[in-house]
Amino acid sequence: MAAFIQKLFKSRKANPATSPRTPSKSEAAQPTEVDHRKVLREAQEQQLLNGPGQPELADLALEGVTASIRLDAAKGLREEALLQQVQKQSKGRDKGVYQTVRQALQILRDQQASEAATRQRVNDLVSQAREQASSENTKLFKARLETLQENWRAVEESASTEQVQQFLEAVHQCRERLQQMEQARQDEERQQEQAHQRFETLELLERTLADLKSDTSSELPSPSALDALQKTQENRWLEATRDTDVSKQEQKAYEQHMLALRSYLNGVRWLAHEKDTISDLARVAETNEATDDHRNQASELLKQLEWPSGFPQPVSLAPIRQLAGKPKTPKPADGRQEQQLASATKLKDTLPELEAALEARQFKESRQLMKAAQNLFQQLDDRNRKNLQARMQLLQGQFRELSDWQGFATEPKQIALCEQMEYLAEQPIEPEAKAERIKDLQNEWRELGGSSDRTLWARFKAASDNAYEPCKVYFEAKSDLKQANLQKREAICNELAQFVNGADWTAVDWKAVERIHQTARQEWKNAWPVDFRDNRQVQKQFDDLLKQLERPLDEVRKQNEARKQAIVEKARALIEHEPLQEAMDQAKALQAEWTAVGTTRHREDRKMWQAFRKACDDIFARRDAQRSERQQASEQADQAAEEVLNHYQAIDADAEDRVLAEAREALNKLANEPLSNAVKDQLQKLKQRLNQIAKDQAFQQKVSDWKTLVTARAQQQQPAEPAPQHWSALLDGIKNVNGRDLAIRAEILTGTPTPDQDQSRRMEIQVQRLTDGMGNSETASPIQELEKLIAHWCLHPEAEDITPENAARLNQALTAMRPDD
């Protein structure tokens, strides 16, 4: 029986050698496994040639018959989700597919990153174009626009239709701004040229008048030449003042010079017109044959001449003055006569200006001069009026003609202004804008020279008052607001003065001072609007208080800036500092120190912060570089470890000791490598599995040796290997040892069924074991107890019932035993 059982166990370990036999006809008709793989391979190759979809390629990459089919299918995958799925399932199964899919995923992610960067670039360019279209910075405007367009051409194909539209609209706005800037430049050049022409005109007129005043020759300039000069400069001035602003000083200088030139030209023209009469009277004066009629004619001629003051008297008039006789020495005049003389002189100076204004058809200036002349004329007595009355009547007639012409030309415009003012009165416009528009219409009315039609003026005045009524209420309320804001500003000054005068500058909280400074400026700015005149004194007080506050604050700021600059220098020194961890710790400490430094000037703080940030970035960039190196080394180590894992992953319980030793040696070599935690876990699991396999194999070998000893004792044979030496110590001195009881105890320990005839004995032994265990605190493991039973079986000299049947039962119990029991 024992030999049969041993033969049975040996037959389970060894692979039975089957003798070849000839297959039957039905078996020969069925396809073999090789034929099936061939058909499947051809079908999968044909499926690859037919251009399968992405899901089919994923299935082929995992289930392809050959490595080439799986690899070709993996190369055709493009969808990220399927690539990740194949990568996950092929890991540890197919290295080629895993690497191919991994590279494809990396390429796909790089492509996605590139596309995202391009999209971001498109968005940035659109934003930059919009910002430039609305920016007030015109420096290098055209060059920046060209750079934007050049950068856009590189990414235009990646932009959406909406983005292209937005960019083109922004570029169009930029080009419009360029045109406006160019137009502004041309206008500026034109205005500069006009200013230059006005300057030269004034200079030429001034030089000409100076030459005429200093000319002592007997010959006067030609009237035609003076007339040509006058018209040329008038046209030149007209072009130089077209569509541009002219200062009142320039306009006044031009009008004065031109008026003097016209007066001189009128005098020269009069002399040319009376040339024959002057010549006849000059000959009479030379022959001393002058009569009273000649003298009266000379006197009347001199009265008609209005020679401008400041110019030398014509030489041709000297005989006429001689003929007319010297005026008698006037009697001393009283105050009334002096006043009459002054008014007459002033009127004579005003009349040439009035003539020039009427000739130039300047209604506004003519009206002012006519009013002044009439006032002066009314101040004269009858004797002084007589000489100027005809001339005044002539000028009044000319002014009436100009006034009628002006009224005819401006009446439609004035009616339009009335209609605009009446329309404005009905519109719910914001009061300040409405008041500004009312002012513009009133200025336009004044520029038209007013109106002699009192009805039209009354209409315009009533419309203006009606339009201004809501503005009046608004400005009254605004006046109250200005007063309230002024009171707020006075309160700010009082509080600021109280703080400045009462602060202990040796122990003050400078951050609080900085907040007070900022809050005061902001609250002062918010207290707006205010009346300009009332605010001047308060503004001066506020500015003085700010200076008192800023003076010590600036000193502290400079001290803090020096501290921050020292921190920057320390941070720069840490860029190359070793060890790196110490440099990073010190950099973190410097960051905390930076935060603790007090207030500084904003611009200087920004500069130093950028330098400090750059130094810290350089320090931590070294850490990132080391991390990257470690990551790269870890990836390389993981790749090598994955190769080892893939090679030894398939080891099973039947592996030879040599293979197990090689696997353990390969794993030990990876112990000090910078592996990732996931790979370390895989290696640890593989080590544990190898150790368990070795442990199981050692246990099975031990069980096999025990079985051999058990069988040899039952057959009373000498075993090939002696029993272990320590078994002698396991004998507890029991004299009566029964082989059947040993078998039953082994069956109890291993849970092996006991034959029916021994069930009662098994119960007795179990009760006995329970009784023995209750009095014994030390309990041996099942394996130790089983080994002790085997030792008694094999070595006890007085053992009974050592039969092959009991040996078979004992070996069957050993077979059921597990290492972890």
Side-chain angles (χ1 to χ4, degrees), residues 105-123:
L105 269 176
Q106 186 61 43
I107 294 173
L108 181 61
R109 288 164 182 165
D110 293 343
Q111 182 180 359
Q112 291 174 349
S114 176
E115 292 174 354
T118 302
R119 289 193 298 272
Q120 184 63 38
R121 180 63 172 162
V122 170
N123 292 332

Side-chain angles (χ1 to χ4, degrees), residues 7 57 114 121 172 331 373 481 594 662 749 817:
K7 182 178 180 181
L57 286 175
S114 176
R121 180 63 172 162
H172 178 69
K331 297 180 180 179
L481 177 62
W594 178 282
E662 291 177 356
L749 289 173
M817 193 68 184

Side-chain angles (χ1 to χ4, degrees), residues 128-139 141-142 144-145 169-185:
Q128 291 173 12
R130 287 179 171 178
E131 290 176 0
Q132 182 162 346
S134 59
S135 173
E136 297 297 329
N137 182 16
T138 59
K139 187 175 181 182
F141 192 91
K142 185 176 181 180
R144 288 189 284 127
L145 178 59
E169 289 177 357
V171 169
H172 178 69
Q173 294 175 3
C174 291
R175 288 174 178 168
E176 288 183 346
R177 288 199 62 192
L178 274 177
Q179 293 177 358
Q180 294 173 0
M181 291 162 59
E182 180 64 20
Q183 184 64 37
R185 185 187 63 79

Side-chain angles (χ1 to χ4, degrees), residues 465-693:
D465 293 342
N466 189 22
Y468 189 75
E469 191 62 31
C471 302
K472 183 178 179 181
V473 177
Y474 168 77
F475 284 114
E476 287 177 355
K478 188 174 182 180
S479 177
D480 296 338
L481 177 62
K482 289 181 178 179
Q483 186 63 31
N485 288 333
L486 183 63
Q487 294 175 358
K488 289 182 181 178
R489 291 193 168 190
E490 291 175 348
I492 292 172
C493 288
N494 293 334
E495 293 177 2
L496 199 58
Q498 183 178 2
F499 173 75
V500 170
N501 296 329
D504 183 5
W505 297 107
T506 59
V508 73
D509 183 356
W510 292 107
K511 290 187 177 181
V513 174
E514 177 73 17
R515 287 194 297 271
I516 292 173
H517 179 266
Q518 294 176 356
T519 303
R521 290 174 62 89
Q522 186 61 41
E523 291 183 355
W524 185 271
K525 183 179 180 181
N526 294 337
W528 176 263
V530 293
D531 186 81
F532 176 74
R533 289 186 297 272
D534 296 339
N535 182 62
R536 275 186 294 189
Q537 185 64 31
V538 183
Q539 183 70 50
K540 184 177 182 302
Q541 181 184 2
F542 181 71
D543 293 340
D544 293 340
L545 290 170
L546 281 186
K547 289 180 181 178
Q548 297 179 34
L549 185 64
E550 289 172 351
R551 193 176 299 112
L553 192 58
D554 286 340
E555 294 179 359
V556 174
R557 286 170 177 168
K558 292 179 180 179
Q559 295 174 3
N560 292 335
E561 288 168 7
R563 293 176 59 190
K564 287 193 173 183
Q565 185 61 40
I567 294 175
V568 172
E569 298 301 329
K570 292 179 181 178
R572 287 174 175 168
L574 292 174
I575 294 177
E576 302 298 333
H577 183 78
E578 293 293 344
L580 177 58
Q581 186 60 45
E582 183 177 330
M584 291 191 297
D585 293 340
Q586 293 184 21
K588 293 177 182 178
L590 289 178
Q591 290 174 349
E593 185 178 348
W594 178 282
T595 306
V597 176
T599 180
T600 56
R601 290 174 294 179
H602 179 71
R603 180 176 298 179
E604 299 299 327
D605 186 80
R606 291 298 303 168
K607 292 180 181 178
M608 291 186 292
W609 168 251
Q610 291 174 359
F612 179 63
R613 179 66 179 272
K614 182 179 183 303
C616 291
D617 290 344
D618 292 343
I619 294 171
F620 289 101
R622 293 172 55 198
R623 178 196 63 184
D624 295 339
Q626 291 185 1
R627 284 182 177 176
S628 178
E629 291 176 0
R630 288 196 299 269
Q631 180 66 24
Q632 185 177 1
S634 177
E635 291 178 357
Q636 294 177 354
D638 286 351
Q639 186 174 359
E642 286 175 358
E643 293 179 358
V644 174
L645 288 171
N646 293 335
H647 183 71
Y648 293 108
Q649 194 72 37
I651 293 179
D652 55 13
D654 296 331
E656 299 179 0
D657 293 342
R658 177 183 58 79
V659 176
L660 293 175
E662 291 177 356
R664 282 195 292 268
E665 182 179 0
L667 294 178
N668 292 333
K669 290 181 179 179
L670 298 173
N672 297 325
E673 294 295 325
L675 300 173
S676 64
N677 292 332
V679 176
K680 285 182 179 178
D681 291 341
Q682 294 181 27
L683 289 178
Q684 184 64 27
K685 290 178 181 179
L686 181 56
K687 284 182 180 179
Q688 293 174 356
R689 193 161 65 85
L690 293 177
N691 292 334
Q692 186 62 41
I693 291 173

Side-chain angles (χ1 to χ4, degrees), residues 170-433:
V171 169
H172 178 69
Q173 294 175 3
C174 291
R175 288 174 178 168
E176 288 183 346
R177 288 199 62 192
L178 274 177
Q179 293 177 358
Q180 294 173 0
M181 291 162 59
E182 180 64 20
Q183 184 64 37
R185 185 187 63 79
Q186 293 177 1
D187 292 343
E188 184 179 0
E189 292 179 354
R190 176 180 59 79
Q191 291 177 3
Q192 290 178 354
E193 179 62 24
Q194 288 178 322
H196 178 68
Q197 292 297 327
R198 293 196 300 272
F199 174 78
E200 290 189 347
T201 300
L202 294 175
E203 187 179 24
L204 178 59
L205 289 175
E206 185 177 355
R207 187 169 61 250
T208 301
L209 292 175
D211 293 342
L212 292 176
K213 290 179 180 179
S214 62
D215 186 14
T216 58
S217 64
S218 59
E219 295 294 333
L220 293 175
S222 170
S224 59
L226 289 176
D227 183 65
L229 175 64
Q230 174 194 348
K231 292 180 178 179
T232 301
Q233 297 309 310
E234 282 179 343
N235 293 331
R236 186 179 186 184
W237 185 263
L238 183 63
E239 292 297 327
T241 57
R242 189 186 306 275
D243 299 329
T244 188
D245 294 331
V246 182
S247 66
K248 293 182 178 180
Q249 184 178 0
E250 275 188 314
Q251 187 67 30
K252 184 176 181 181
Y254 169 74
E255 292 174 355
Q256 290 176 349
H257 294 338
M258 190 57 69
L259 182 61
L261 181 61
R262 290 194 190 104
S263 300
Y264 186 81
L265 176 58
N266 290 335
V268 173
R269 283 176 176 170
W270 183 86
L271 288 175
H273 183 266
E274 301 293 339
K275 181 178 179 181
D276 295 339
T277 303
I278 293 173
S279 299
D280 293 341
L281 290 175
R283 283 195 299 269
V284 170
E286 290 177 357
T287 57
N288 294 323
E289 297 178 356
T291 62
D292 291 338
D293 292 336
H294 291 141
R295 292 185 183 91
N296 291 334
Q297 185 180 5
S299 298
E300 188 65 28
L301 194 65
L302 289 176
K303 290 179 181 179
Q304 294 178 3
L305 176 63
E306 292 290 344
W307 190 256
S309 60
F311 292 92
Q313 293 288 333
V315 178
S316 59
L317 292 180
I320 307 302
R321 291 193 184 92
Q322 184 179 359
L323 182 62
K326 297 180 180 180
K328 296 181 180 181
T329 304
K331 297 180 180 179
D334 56 10
R336 173 70 178 172
Q337 290 176 342
E338 291 179 357
Q339 183 179 2
Q340 288 289 312
L341 182 61
S343 298
T345 303
K346 192 171 183 180
L347 179 59
K348 289 180 180 179
D349 293 339
T350 303
L351 291 180
E353 297 179 3
L354 177 58
E355 289 176 345
L358 290 171
E359 184 178 354
R361 307 189 70 80
Q362 298 175 345
F363 177 74
K364 186 176 180 180
E365 291 78 1
S366 299
R367 184 176 59 180
Q368 294 174 353
L369 291 171
M370 175 58 71
K371 186 176 181 180
Q374 287 176 341
N375 291 334
L376 292 171
F377 187 77
Q378 293 296 329
Q379 296 174 10
L380 299 178
D381 55 19
D382 294 338
R383 184 174 62 85
N384 289 316
R385 287 182 184 178
K386 186 177 181 181
N387 296 330
L388 299 172
Q389 187 170 4
R391 192 173 179 186
M392 279 292 297
Q393 291 176 350
L394 177 63
L395 293 174
Q396 286 175 349
Q398 293 178 356
F399 178 74
R400 282 194 296 272
E401 292 178 0
L402 179 60
S403 179
D404 293 340
W405 177 86
Q406 182 74 11
F408 176 77
T410 59
E411 183 175 1
K413 298 180 180 178
Q414 290 173 340
I415 293 175
L417 288 176
C418 290
E419 293 174 351
Q420 293 181 34
M421 188 66 78
E422 290 167 350
Y423 175 78
L424 183 63
E426 299 174 355
Q427 301 304 309
I429 305 176
E430 194 271 333
E432 290 193 1

Side-chain angles (χ1 to χ4, degrees), residues 764-777:
E764 294 175 1
I765 294 175
Q766 286 179 331
V767 172
Q768 182 181 358
R769 281 171 50 83
L770 181 59
T771 304
D772 295 341
M774 293 177 63
N776 188 6
S777 59

Side-chain angles (χ1 to χ4, degrees), residues 736-755:
N736 297 324
V737 174
N738 187 280
R740 183 169 67 95
D741 290 346
L742 293 177
I744 293 173
R745 288 179 179 274
E747 289 169 349
I748 293 172
L749 289 173
T750 61
T752 304
T754 300

